[in-house]
Amino acid sequence: PWNLSSKDSKIIAVIPQNPTVVISQTNTLSVASLGAVYLDALGSHASDNSVLSFTWSCSKDGSSCLDFDSNELTLSSSDTLSYPMGLPYGTYEFTVTATTQRLLSSSASIMVIVNHAGLPSVSFHTFGGSSPFGYMDVITLVADVTATPPSYIQSYSLSCSSAVAKRSGDCIDRYGNLFSDLGTGPTATIPFFDGSWVFSLTV
């Protein structure tokens, strides 16, 4: 007898897919100067549930991102990235790339805007007498400076100019020495010559 049979077959192709990469924070993150920056890609996953590896990159104005010491930022190799002490002022683009065990990868990016600190407040105090000062008085100028946050103050520049044309715009002490530039601190001690002087402190 004849045995008759039929067979049907299908080819099922399993095509690996690129991972889904999700940065938890919004597309644009705005932080205060010296405010902590925290980013994560914890919501990222692979379609086959395989383990992902992560790399982060950063660019600012088309160049590498630098820290407060002008060194390149240290970037994470995990699904989180943090800078507890904040970042210098500017706009940064951070990109995280997730790669599967099959070497398939996807990326996601976020803009981080670091805002300026508030302008510092400056006021002068004098010690050694009261205005008008005597010819032989030695006067100490002290500047009270406050800023938010305080550690944002990076430098001081104290300068002097004559309030009248008598000294051609220069400040001269009673020994005939110029002191048009008094240095980089909030305090200066000057043996005054007669005249009127204008002192400026830039913080």
Side-chain angles (χ1 to χ4, degrees):
W2 294 88
N3 291 325
L4 300 177
S5 64
S6 63
K7 182 181 293 185
D8 187 15
S9 62
K10 294 181 179 179
I11 298 176
I12 300 176
V14 178
I15 301 175
Q17 295 181 340
N18 290 341
T20 299
V21 180
V22 178
I23 296 178
S24 300
Q25 290 69 25
T26 58
N27 291 335
T28 301
L29 179 65
S30 180
V31 297
S33 177
L34 296 185
V37 175
Y38 175 83
L39 304 173
D40 74 74
L42 296 173
S44 304
H45 61 275
S47 59
D48 60 357
N49 294 320
S50 63
V51 177
L52 295 175
S53 61
F54 294 87
T55 57
W56 293 81
S57 62
C58 178
S59 65
K60 179 184 179 186
D61 300 325
S63 301
S64 300
C65 299
L66 306 179
D67 60 19
F68 290 104
D69 296 320
S70 298
N71 298 317
E72 287 198 22
L73 283 183
T74 300
L75 297 164
S76 173
S77 57
S78 71
D79 53 7
T80 61
L81 179 69
S82 64
Y83 299 100
M85 301 304 296
L87 296 169
Y89 163 78
T91 299
Y92 301 78
E93 182 178 23
F94 287 93
T95 299
V96 59
T97 300
T99 304
T100 69
Q101 293 173 311
R102 296 176 181 268
L103 302 182
L104 298 173
S105 62
S106 298
S107 300
S109 297
I110 182 173
M111 302 298 294
V112 176
I113 300 173
V114 180
N115 298 298
H116 271 303
L119 294 177
S121 174
V122 180
S123 62
F124 273 121
H125 297 277
T126 58
F127 296 91
S130 59
S131 181
F133 299 104
Y135 171 74
M136 297 300 293
D137 288 343
V138 176
I139 310 304
T140 299
L141 290 178
V142 178
D144 291 335
V145 181
T146 57
T148 305
S151 58
Y152 189 77
I153 297 176
Q154 296 182 347
S155 64
Y156 301 88
S157 178
L158 184 63
S159 62
C160 175
S161 62
S162 175
V164 293
K166 177 180 178 181
R167 298 295 177 188
S168 301
D170 293 323
C171 291
I172 302 175
D173 66 18
R174 64 170 175 260
Y175 306 112
N177 299 316
L178 293 174
F179 51 97
S180 58
D181 184 358
L182 301 175
T184 57
T187 302
T189 300
I190 310 105
F192 277 113
F193 194 77
D194 62 319
S196 297
W197 316 108
V198 176
F199 292 89
S200 299
L201 177 68
T202 301
V203 178

